[in-house]
């Protein structure tokens, strides 16, 4: 290490490049070796999985054949037929035997013929292809799968012993059944089981004769042709049939991917070596030193040296970066001062605007209701000339006193009392035709809300929903807690309702007016709804919810959900004051 430090920078970089080059060469050799092993292992593992799949298909095939043989040769028709001793009786029963055998042949595509032998080993019935089978095999005591039969070696036989199940004698043979099978059907089992293009797979009988084959050229035993070829052979015994499953994979194909990977690795390592040498040189001379200087400057800048600037004499992009950085610091320092001053003015303007909007909303509600109420008093006085005027005047006085008092935030209990006073006025004005009922949960009565939140909604329900009805109307107000930290308010009437298109227009109008002209009412859509909607948006922001549902000739429901101040909601007094 000491020797390395004594070298100049160029020598150090040369030594580093030499070390990296040696490392890349060693890495290339390791990668090449590991790639060869991995490719070979992967190919053999894939071949093993394919062989297991073939074994499973062969096992399923033998199970199917045993089931077919059992249902065929132990059918009452076959059992009775073998037991007949008279030739005449067998001739009469042969048609039924032929039908049963034909049905069995239709169950499996590879069944070409069925032969039945009696106890003496003599052929007593045959359907389909009739081929010669090895002598003595019809007397076997267990299921036997033969190898290739005949000169063309295109078929094999499955011999199934038939026992008398009713006899007390152990394994009393009645005869044997033989299924003649097409070897070509076994080839279907080997489909899609080749791991490489030049590989081969075959099924051999006990004499190593090929019964089925898929893949490249092969000799009599099912193996590849060519004495000089090198193969990886895998042999698996198929126990039930007594056959052998043979897989041959050319050794050259096991390493086919290795050569391609080796070429790409060689090109990649060569390119990396060239790029690395150039990168190290450029990195040190043009980037590392100036970056180090800039880093030290950046560390000192937050510690109080904000008036100093980065000094760098480079005439390239690094120099441009230094000059741009100095210009940016000058701009940031100037803009920071301007932003602080602008934010202060903006906050003052927003505060004044919010206060003016609050006052504007409250001033909209008071005269609008008072004008209607005085009209009611005048009408009742002219019509009745009775003492009820005193009661409605008293209720009006209390309502007006509540409206104009200086508090901007009130409790739910105060809002409920105010609505009850308003209900007296409504009942007198409409001579009992319209009633207002309030249902508030006790646990939220002490919670704080903005003043005159309920009255505009009730007034809107009366004059837009119920006043047009001939028969009596009803307004119901529900105040309940919802979940953690919410107060749910519902004002429901059984009035004339709102058309669907009109309702969508009102909701869309409220939302658009809030975005474009917040706080500005529109008499075309009702002052009450707009007043409440914009005030809760102003006080609670996104924490408030507002919705209207209505059905024509059934009624309208206005739903408001606001934070519960008693449960840690928004402190509206802080917003107002």
């Amino acid at each position: 290490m000491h020797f390395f430090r004594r070298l100049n920078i160029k020598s150090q970089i040369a030594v580093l490049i030499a070390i990296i080059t040696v490392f890349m060469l060693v890495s290339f050799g390791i990668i090449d070796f590991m790639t060869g092993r991995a490719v070979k292992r992967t190919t053999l593992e894939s071949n093993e999985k394919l062989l297991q799949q073939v074994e499973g298909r062969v096992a399923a095939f033998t199970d199917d054949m045993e089931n077919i043989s059992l249902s065929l040769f132990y059918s009452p028709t076959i059992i009775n037929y073998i037991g007949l001793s008279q030739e005449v009786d067998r001739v009469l029963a042969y048609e039924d035997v032929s039908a049963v055998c034909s049905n069995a042949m239709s169950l499996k595509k590879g069944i070409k013929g069925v032969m039945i032998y009696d106890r003496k080993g003599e052929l007593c019935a045959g359907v389909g292809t009739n081929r010669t089978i090895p002598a003595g095999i019809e007397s076997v005591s267990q299921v036997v799968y033969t190898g290739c039969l005949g000169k063309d070696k295109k078929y094999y036989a499955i011999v199934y012993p038939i026992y008398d199940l009713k006899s007390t004698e152990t394994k009393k043979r009645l005869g044997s059944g033989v299924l003649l099978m097409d070897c070509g059907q076994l080839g279907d089992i080997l489909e899609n089981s080749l791991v490489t293009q030049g590989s081969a797979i075959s099924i051999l009988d006990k004499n190593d004769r090929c019964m089925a084959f898929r893949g490249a050229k092969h000799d009599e035993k099912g193996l590849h042709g060519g004495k000089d070829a090198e193969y990886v052979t895998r042999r698996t015994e198929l126990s039930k049939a007594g056959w052998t499953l043979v897989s041959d994979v050319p050794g050259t194909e096991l390493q086919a991917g290795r050569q391609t990977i080796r070429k790409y690795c060689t090109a990649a390592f060569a390119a990396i070596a060239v790029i690395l040498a150039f990168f190290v040189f450029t990195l040190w001379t043009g980037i590392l030193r100036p970056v180090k200087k800039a880093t030290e400057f950046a560390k000192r800048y937050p510690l109080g040296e904000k008036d100093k600037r980065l000094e760098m004499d480079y005439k390239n992009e690094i120099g441009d970066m230094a000059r741009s950085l100095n210009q940016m610091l000058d701009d940031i320092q100037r803009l920071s001062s301007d932003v602080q001053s602008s934010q202060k003015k903006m906050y003052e303007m927003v505060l004044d605007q919010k206060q003016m909007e609050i006052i504007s909303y409250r001033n909209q509600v008071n005269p609008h209701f008072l004008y209607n109420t005085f009209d009611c008093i005048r009408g009742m006085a002219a019509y009745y000339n009775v003492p009820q005027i005193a009661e409605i005047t008293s209720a009006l006085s209390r309502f007006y006193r509540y409206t104009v008092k200086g508090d901007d935030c009130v409790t739910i209990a105060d809002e409920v009392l105010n609505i009850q006073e308003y209900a007296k006025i409504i009942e007198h004005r409409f001579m009992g035709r319209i009633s207002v009922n309030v249902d508030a949960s006790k646990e939220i009565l002490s919670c704080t809300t903005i003043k005159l939140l309920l009255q505009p909604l009730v007034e809107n329900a009366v004059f837009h929903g119920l006043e047009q009805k001939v028969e009596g109307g009803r307004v119901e107000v529900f105040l309940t807690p919802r979940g953690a930290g919410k107060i749910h308010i519902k004002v429901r009437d059984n009035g004339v309702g709102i058309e669907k298109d009109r309702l969508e227009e009102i909701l869309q109008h409220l939302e658009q007016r809030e975005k474009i002209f917040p706080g500005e009412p529109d008499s075309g859509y009702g002052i009450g709804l707009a007043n409440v909607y914009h005030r809760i948006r102003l006080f609670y922001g996104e924490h408030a919810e507002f919705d209207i549902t209505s059905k024509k000739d059934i009624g309208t429901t206005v739903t408001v959900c606001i934070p519960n101040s008693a449960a840690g909601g928004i402190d509206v007094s802080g917003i107002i004051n």
Side-chain angles (χ1 to χ4, degrees):
M1 181 63 68
H2 179 69
F3 171 77
F4 183 77
R5 290 180 178 177
R6 292 175 59 184
L7 299 175
N8 56 39
I9 298 299
K10 293 182 179 180
S11 299
Q12 289 180 357
I13 294 175
V15 171
L16 289 175
I17 292 176
I19 294 174
I20 293 174
T21 301
V22 173
F23 175 78
M24 287 193 298
L25 291 174
V26 174
S27 300
F28 176 78
I30 295 174
I31 291 174
D32 182 63
F33 175 74
M34 297 301 295
T35 300
R37 292 186 59 184
V39 171
K40 182 176 181 180
R41 182 175 64 253
T42 302
T43 304
L44 293 178
E45 288 177 355
S46 300
N47 186 55
E48 186 67 24
K49 291 180 180 179
L50 291 174
L51 290 178
Q52 291 177 0
Q53 295 176 6
V54 174
E55 291 180 41
R57 291 198 289 266
V58 172
F61 170 74
T62 55
D63 290 341
D64 290 343
M65 296 311 303
E66 289 186 10
N67 292 332
I68 293 174
S69 300
L70 182 64
S71 62
L72 170 62
F73 297 127
Y74 280 90
S75 65
T77 302
I78 300 300
I79 295 296
N80 293 334
Y81 182 81
I82 295 176
L84 297 175
S85 59
Q86 298 296 325
E87 188 68 24
V88 176
D89 296 334
R90 286 188 175 181
V91 171
L92 296 175
Y94 185 79
E95 184 178 353
D96 294 336
V97 171
S98 177
V100 172
C101 293
S102 297
N103 291 335
M105 291 174 61
S106 65
L107 297 176
K108 206 70 173 180
K109 183 176 65 173
I111 303 176
K112 298 302 181 182
V114 179
M115 295 188 296
I116 301 174
Y117 291 84
D118 59 15
R119 184 183 297 109
K120 299 177 181 180
E122 296 178 354
L123 179 64
C124 59
V127 177
T129 301
N130 189 358
R131 297 294 184 94
T132 303
I133 63 174
I137 197 171
E138 70 278 358
S139 301
V140 296
S141 59
Q142 60 183 4
V143 180
V144 173
Y145 287 76
T146 70
C148 296
L149 300 178
K151 295 181 179 180
D152 53 4
K153 301 178 183 178
K154 293 184 177 180
Y155 72 96
Y156 64 97
I158 303 176
V159 184
Y160 200 90
I162 304 175
Y163 294 101
D164 187 358
L165 301 180
K166 298 180 180 180
S167 175
T168 56
E169 182 182 344
T170 304
K171 291 187 176 181
K172 180 182 178 182
R173 291 181 72 259
L174 295 177
S176 300
V178 178
L179 297 178
L180 293 175
M181 306 295 298
D182 184 6
C183 289
Q185 191 270 341
L186 294 176
D188 297 338
I189 299 177
L190 302 180
E191 290 294 340
N192 302 320
S193 57
L194 299 178
V195 69
T196 64
Q197 185 176 3
S199 61
I201 186 170
S202 55
I203 296 178
L204 307 181
D205 61 14
K206 296 179 181 179
N207 297 320
D208 281 346
R209 290 177 298 184
C210 182
M211 301 182 67
F213 181 85
R214 288 291 184 274
K217 184 179 178 182
H218 64 291
D219 58 18
E220 187 66 20
K221 295 184 178 181
L223 304 177
H224 283 75
K227 297 181 179 180
D228 298 331
E230 180 183 354
Y231 301 100
V232 177
T233 302
R234 170 78 160 79
R235 299 176 66 91
T236 303
E237 298 296 329
L238 304 175
S239 57
K240 283 190 176 182
W243 301 330
T244 302
L245 181 65
V246 180
S247 171
D248 297 310
V249 181
T252 55
E253 293 190 359
L254 291 177
Q255 301 298 329
R258 182 179 182 181
Q259 299 299 328
T260 303
I261 295 175
R262 181 180 295 172
K263 292 179 182 179
Y264 284 114
C265 286
T266 301
F269 278 115
I272 290 173
V274 174
I275 295 172
L276 182 62
F278 180 76
F279 176 75
V280 170
F281 176 78
T282 305
L283 179 67
W284 173 252
T285 58
I287 300 177
L288 290 181
R289 283 191 298 185
V291 167
K292 182 179 180 181
K293 185 176 181 180
T295 302
E296 293 175 352
F297 171 78
K299 291 180 180 179
R300 294 194 304 268
Y301 183 80
L303 300 178
E305 300 183 3
K306 296 185 178 181
D307 294 331
K308 294 184 178 181
R309 295 296 179 260
L310 180 61
E311 297 179 0
M312 199 170 290
D313 297 331
Y314 290 90
K315 302 301 181 181
N316 53 18
E317 288 79 1
I318 297 296
D320 294 339
M321 181 193 71
R323 288 186 290 273
S324 298
L325 178 61
N326 292 334
Q327 181 65 38
M328 182 187 68
L329 294 176
D330 293 338
D331 294 341
I332 289 176
Q333 190 171 6
R334 183 178 63 256
L335 290 174
S336 178
S337 177
D338 295 341
V339 167
Q340 290 179 359
S341 177
S342 299
Q343 286 181 340
K344 182 178 179 181
K345 293 180 181 178
M346 182 183 66
Y347 290 147
E348 292 175 353
M349 292 175 60
V350 170
L351 184 61
D352 292 341
Q353 181 183 2
K354 297 298 183 182
Q355 193 68 27
M356 291 176 63
E357 289 177 1
I358 294 170
I359 295 172
S360 174
Y361 279 127
R362 291 181 57 190
N363 289 338
Q364 291 174 13
V365 176
N366 298 339
H368 181 76
F369 173 71
L370 290 177
Y371 295 154
N372 291 334
T373 304
F374 283 130
D375 288 341
C376 176
I377 294 174
R378 186 170 56 254
M380 291 180 64
Y383 184 84
Y384 285 103
N385 195 22
V386 292
Q388 285 92 338
I389 297 176
E391 183 177 356
I392 191 172
T393 304
S394 176
L396 175 61
S397 175
R398 288 190 292 271
F399 178 83
Y400 183 72
R401 193 160 42 247
Y402 174 82
T403 303
V404 300
K405 69 180 181 179
D407 296 335
D408 295 310
C409 295
V410 296
T411 62
I412 297 294
D414 291 336
E415 279 290 286
V416 171
L417 291 175
N418 184 55
I419 285 298
Q420 291 174 345
E421 295 294 337
Y422 178 74
K424 294 179 183 178
I425 298 172
I426 292 299
E427 291 176 359
H428 281 293
R429 178 180 176 183
F430 292 96
M431 295 177 288
R433 186 169 61 87
I434 298 177
S435 62
V436 179
N437 300 318
V438 183
D439 184 2
S441 300
K442 293 182 179 180
E443 57 264 35
I444 64 171
L445 292 178
S446 60
C447 296
T448 303
T449 184
I450 57 177
K451 183 190 292 185
L452 294 178
L453 177 62
L454 301 178
Q455 187 272 334
L457 299 178
V458 176
E459 181 178 4
N460 190 80
V462 171
F463 292 103
H464 291 281
L466 300 177
E467 190 174 17
Q468 304 175 32
K469 293 189 64 172
V470 177
E471 66 276 9
R474 182 177 71 257
V475 181
E476 297 176 323
V477 182
F478 301 94
L479 298 98
T480 57
R482 172 186 282 185
K486 290 284 188 178
I487 296 177
H488 186 256
I489 301 171
K490 181 184 292 185
V491 178
R492 182 173 64 196
D493 66 70
N494 62 343
V496 296
I498 307 174
E499 296 285 352
K500 181 178 179 180
D501 294 341
R502 177 62 175 170
L503 179 59
E504 293 178 356
E505 181 183 356
I506 292 174
L507 291 174
Q508 184 178 6
H509 181 81
L510 289 176
E511 183 68 24
Q512 291 178 348
R513 300 288 296 183
E514 174 65 18
K515 293 180 179 178
I516 303 175
F517 305 107
E520 182 179 344
D522 189 338
S523 59
Y525 292 89
I527 293 178
L529 286 179
N531 186 288
V532 173
Y533 180 81
H534 293 300
R535 280 201 297 150
I536 64 173
R537 290 299 184 194
L538 180 62
F539 278 84
Y540 302 108
E542 297 299 325
H543 298 282
E545 301 175 16
F546 185 92
D547 189 31
I548 306 174
T549 58
S550 182
K551 291 185 178 181
K552 189 63 178 176
D553 299 326
I554 294 180
T556 303
T557 300
V558 179
T559 304
V560 178
C561 192
I562 59 175
N564 183 350
S565 60
I570 295 178
D571 185 3
V572 294
S573 62
I575 298 177
I576 299 173
N577 297 326

